Amino acid sequence: METFETFTYELDGNLYINLTSKCTNDCTFCVRNEHSTYFGHKLWLSREPSAEEVLARIPENISRYKEYVFCGFGEPTIKLPVLLEIGRELKRRGATVRLNTNGQANMIWKRDVTGELSEAVDKINVSLNEASAEEYVKLCKPAFGEAAFDGLQDFAKKCASRGIDVWFSVVDCIGQGKIDLCRQIASRCGVPLRVRPFIEDSN
Ligand code: SF4
């Protein structure tokens, strides 16, 4: 696989920050399984960036982008210290910061990291993906096994209790029955569910 130093990339008026190509899941639908690019952006990293390298790519005029989003070909919270350093600096400059995550940060770091995250990000999109632990394991093949499904729900609850604007996301192609079950899970966790359309990669 060809690799690149695409530490940041623009999409839909946002600046995306790509910290790692590692992930604790191996989702069957993950775009990185079939492509080295995402909407023309070459996201497989040849190496992981430092906070300084990412901050050097942030524009002077912070309002140039609607949001600064930690999201790439891997799980951003694997690089938590770097994410926190960048996020805190972005917030200090007045940016809106979002994290797209599989919700396994507390399992990865073996402690509750949501307090630290609340200082570095404003919004968190936790991919719920499925309506049960068994189906989640089949679809996402998490390194933590079935425990990952409870773990990501606990993570979302803790984020909400810290005052972070957190929501679960699922794609519409899972069908209405599963969407209803996911809505019940989200409601029990006290966080909203957002249903988004399935997006095919461009190449
Ligand atoms: S959690 Fe995201 S980055 Fe990780 S394998 Fe799944 S889709 Fe890919």
Side-chain angles (χ1 to χ4, degrees):
M1 186 74 75
E2 218 182 335
T3 56
F4 306 91
E5 291 194 359
T6 312
F7 304 145
T8 59
Y9 59 100
E10 290 180 30
L11 204 61
D12 298 331
N14 297 326
L15 190 72
Y16 285 76
I17 301 169
N18 186 23
L19 294 182
T20 182
S21 298
K22 297 185 192 120
C23 189
T24 47
N25 278 357
D26 184 16
C27 302
T28 54
F29 58 85
C30 184
V31 284
R32 65 198 193 139
N33 291 339
E34 285 164 33
H35 307 285
S36 63
T37 66
Y38 185 64
F39 290 98
H41 299 289
K42 297 169 176 170
L43 297 185
W44 268 110
L45 292 174
S46 52
R47 64 182 180 87
E48 294 173 337
S50 66
E52 291 71 29
E53 284 174 307
V54 172
L55 288 170
R57 298 181 185 206
I58 303 300
E60 198 71 30
N61 174 15
I62 206 81
S63 62
R64 185 161 138 206
Y65 297 105
K66 291 182 288 185
E67 291 183 350
Y68 292 77
V69 189
F70 291 104
C71 174
F73 261 14
E75 168 50 41
T77 62
I78 285 179
K79 299 297 295 178
L80 186 70
V82 177
L83 184 159
L84 292 174
E85 190 176 340
I86 298 165
R88 285 187 187 120
E89 176 58 18
L90 285 171
K91 275 172 67 78
R92 192 189 65 77
R93 295 193 206 169
T96 299
V97 184
R98 169 158 54 101
L99 164 65
N100 289 354
T101 178
N102 63 19
Q104 295 169 21
N106 288 351
M107 303 184 87
I108 294 166
W109 292 91
K110 298 184 175 60
R111 62 187 170 84
D112 179 10
V113 302
T114 57
E116 293 151 85
L117 279 174
S118 70
E119 297 164 3
V121 302
D122 302 288
K123 307 175 177 187
I124 300 186
N125 174 355
V126 179
S127 297
L128 183 60
N129 290 326
E130 267 294 359
S132 73
E134 202 183 4
E135 288 163 317
Y136 184 85
V137 165
K138 269 192 227 150
L139 186 70
C140 299
K141 296 185 259 173
F144 297 110
E146 287 198 3
F149 197 62
D150 274 349
L152 68 87
Q153 291 175 54
D154 185 63
F155 172 79
K157 273 189 243 174
K158 287 191 164 81
C159 288
S161 74
R162 304 274 185 191
I164 302 172
D165 180 8
V166 58
W167 65 90
F168 285 128
S169 65
V170 293
V171 287
D172 55 5
C173 60
I174 65 173
Q176 196 54 50
K178 283 186 181 181
I179 290 173
D180 290 343
L181 290 171
C182 288
R183 215 174 282 290
Q184 289 171 22
I185 292 170
S187 163
R188 283 199 294 275
C189 292
V191 307
L193 178 77
R194 293 191 189 172
V195 182
R196 58 184 177 81
F198 180 72
I199 305 167
E200 289 273 14
D201 190 8
S202 58
N203 51 19

